[in-house]
Amino acid sequence: MSDKYIDLVNGGFGGTVAKKLGLPQPAPLRRYKPGAALVPGPVLVLGPDTDQTDAVASALLGWDLEVHRSPSTGTARWGAVVVVLSEVDDASQLGEHVLPLSPALKQMARGGRVVTISRAASGATTPTAAAARQAVDGFVRSLGKEMRGGATANGLVLAHESTTPADDGVLAALRFFLSARSSFVDGQLLTIGDAPVLADVTTSDEERPLAGRVAVVTGAARGIGAAIARTLARDGAALVLVDVPAAGEHLAKVANEVRGTALQLDITAPDAGSRIIEHAIARHGGLHVVVHNAGITRDKLLANMKPETWESVLAVNLAAQLRINEQLLASEHFRDAPRIVSLASTSGIAGNRGQTNYGASKAGVIGMVRATAPLLAAASGGTGTVNAVAPGFIVTEMTARIPFATREVAKRLNSLQQGGDPSDVAEAIAFLASPAGGAVNGQVLRVCGQNLVGA
Ligand code: NAD
């Protein structure tokens, strides 16, 4: 969706005026186009001179990238910097490995990436090691706020001590963070487990990673849901699109566009899960991915909240997902590397005035995802995952209902100074739904441009 302000402040005259007045100058983001280069320039790999750092560098070379180990290469505009910190267990060593970033940051390409790879503080055996590992968190979140020109900084956190930075699950997530698929993900740390990825990580985002997979998207008639359907279809999935009967006409249009099938269904129906499973099996011969996207807002201050306003939001955003998941977990048709991705929201993490009902429902989704992850993994021989994506301000009909002045301010309150596009959320979901996302389970990935609220 076009953001006229971005066009204006990136034009000659508009840009000069914006600079003089000290107005935000958001950069157009580097968004995914099939066939485009993974990163917009050479990649610098920093970190201790050890096998783990070498292994990451050689994996990147294997992806046909130009890889350097030192920032002093003259005039190159860095496409990305990968900082391998998985062996740093003393914060006094951190500076030695992150300060070489300093000159590189002045020479980042537009839409460049910084990605750290570190270990979870929870796995540290000493306070010194835990401090060093947790320090990376604050470093990445702060650096995200310093990036310019649509560049971002994110981190991968290895959950298990036995995982190494060049394991497939880590590389698959690294590839997502480096790529244009992660354009609106900034200042985030994603935890990587040790489940198999069942995909060739060298090409996981270029090929049709969802070929042969059947995906269901709820709330697919418009907005983020329609974008998810288009993105999953582009990535090769066969689609079942679900929405309420009142949205039937729009639903049919999107279904035609992505050559999927439409299922008119209110997800709060007690048998919604079994109807979804039956439809997918009957029309597409299988079921592999369910994206719980349908959601509603009914904003009111708690002081003015009617019971039915509270209940309707909890029923659609949370209770329906819980019930459908129970039916999925019990189904023998949902065992082949199954994927569930739920839509949470930054409102469920940071809270939002007028959204006690919505915030509660979306925080509930996060709790549900964490607790369901081990259950689906167990039901599927360790191949299944359940994750949530938490969008920040995304330009859709839902956010179009926010009064103009509030909306324009809310849109810019993030490190990238702009609202996200529905396709930004869809790209993150496509990664988590793909076989390559197999090592990410029970996580919440924010797609919010590093929203300043609760960032
Ligand atoms: P939207 O209102 O534009 O679309 C939601 C879709 O869900 C609609 O087509 C609607 O008909 C469908 N739906 C609602 N209730 C349903 C039901 N009971 N059964 C079946 N379908 C139903 O919303 P959106 O902005 O595209 O948001 C999509 C999801 O992303 C929601 O879960 C929302 O909470 C979440 N989200 C959006 C934003 C944002 O900025 N737009 C931010 C954070 C989270």
Side-chain angles (χ1 to χ4, degrees):
M1 259 172 225
S2 95
D3 181 334
K4 292 195 177 71
Y5 181 79
I6 294 184
D7 297 342
L8 182 71
V9 297
N10 283 287
F13 178 67
T16 314
V17 173
K19 201 171 258 171
K20 280 214 169 116
L21 295 177
L23 294 171
Q25 284 187 280
L29 301 184
R30 175 170 70 95
R31 290 203 162 92
Y32 182 76
K33 288 189 199 81
L38 182 68
V39 281
V43 183
L44 173 63
V45 176
L46 300 175
D49 223 350
T50 61
D51 288 355
Q52 295 198 3
T53 313
D54 285 349
V56 171
S58 53
L60 295 173
L61 278 169
W63 296 349
D64 284 338
L65 301 175
E66 183 185 330
V67 178
H68 297 262
R69 297 294 293 274
S70 150
S72 54
T73 54
T75 56
R77 288 242 155 229
W78 298 108
V81 184
V82 178
V83 195
V84 183
L85 299 168
S86 47
E87 290 163 291
V88 176
D89 265 348
D90 187 332
S92 68
Q93 298 161 2
L94 207 53
E96 181 191 331
H97 302 300
V98 302
L99 289 175
L101 249 172
S102 170
L105 288 172
K106 298 191 181 106
Q107 288 192 297
M108 284 301 278
R110 288 179 90 81
R113 301 281 185 263
V114 174
V115 184
T116 60
I117 304 177
S118 61
R119 292 195 181 277
S122 55
T125 49
T126 64
T128 303
R133 294 176 180 201
Q134 194 68 36
V136 177
D137 195 279
F139 170 74
V140 169
R141 291 178 199 279
S142 300
L143 183 58
K145 296 182 178 181
E146 295 180 11
M147 303 299 285
R148 291 289 169 266
T152 61
N154 292 292
L156 299 171
V157 179
L158 315 186
H160 305 290
E161 299 300 301
S162 54
T163 305
T164 70
D167 284 356
D168 278 358
V170 186
L171 292 178
L174 175 61
R175 202 170 168 104
F176 167 70
F177 271 158
L178 292 177
S179 78
R181 285 175 178 261
S182 68
S183 53
F184 201 59
V185 181
D186 196 8
Q188 302 306 307
L189 291 117
L190 185 63
T191 300
I192 312 296
D194 56 2
V197 298
L198 311 170
D200 176 0
V201 294
T202 310
T203 55
S204 55
D205 66 329
E206 289 163 10
E207 304 294 309
R208 287 160 56 86
L210 290 169
R213 310 283 286 168
V214 179
V216 174
V217 181
T218 68
R222 67 179 201 188
I224 296 173
I228 296 167
R230 290 185 187 109
T231 303
L232 299 186
R234 179 204 68 196
D235 282 356
L239 266 302
V240 176
L241 309 186
V242 176
D243 214 302
V244 289
E249 209 174 305
H250 286 285
L251 187 68
K253 244 191 210 160
V254 184
N256 272 345
E257 190 191 322
V258 302
R259 295 162 187 264
T261 56
L263 172 61
Q264 292 188 10
L265 172 70
D266 184 330
I267 57 160
T268 61
D271 62 347
S274 50
R275 285 189 56 196
I276 285 171
I277 297 165
E278 278 161 26
H279 178 103
I281 302 300
R283 303 290 297 274
H284 301 274
L287 176 59
H288 308 101
V289 176
V290 173
V291 182
H292 289 300
N293 163 78
I296 58 170
T297 48
R298 298 285 183 271
D299 295 359
K300 277 279 171 218
L301 296 177
L302 189 62
N304 305 324
M305 182 83 69
K306 294 198 171 81
E308 56 271 28
T309 310
W310 173 274
E311 295 300 344
S312 61
V313 169
L314 270 288
V316 176
N317 295 3
L318 183 58
Q321 293 196 22
L322 277 164
R323 208 176 307 112
I324 293 171
N325 284 355
E326 270 174 29
Q327 293 167 11
L328 290 171
L329 280 164
S331 170
E332 55 175 309
H333 299 294
F334 198 59
R335 299 271 191 269
D336 171 14
R339 300 275 182 269
I340 297 176
V341 188
S342 282
L343 269 287
S345 165
T346 47
S347 296
I349 298 171
N352 204 10
R353 188 172 185 274
Q355 292 199 319
T356 51
N357 50 357
Y358 185 76
S361 72
K362 294 299 187 180
V365 163
I366 294 172
M368 173 193 75
V369 157
R370 286 191 182 131
T372 311
L375 302 181
L376 187 62
S380 60
T383 64
T385 69
V386 187
N387 291 288
V389 164
F393 189 105
I394 306 297
V395 182
T396 66
E397 287 177 47
M398 188 183 259
T399 48
R401 285 203 295 270
I402 301 171
F404 175 77
T406 316
R407 185 173 72 230
E408 283 308 300
V409 172
K411 202 196 255 184
R412 312 262 165 236
L413 284 181
N414 61 62
S415 298
L416 296 169
Q417 301 177 318
Q418 57 196 286
D421 189 86
S423 66
D424 298 331
V425 180
E427 296 288 5
I429 289 171
F431 164 65
L432 294 170
S434 74
V440 182
N441 196 15
Q443 304 301 311
V444 183
L445 177 59
R446 291 176 53 158
V447 182
C448 64
Q450 201 175 22
N451 200 324
L452 300 189
V453 180

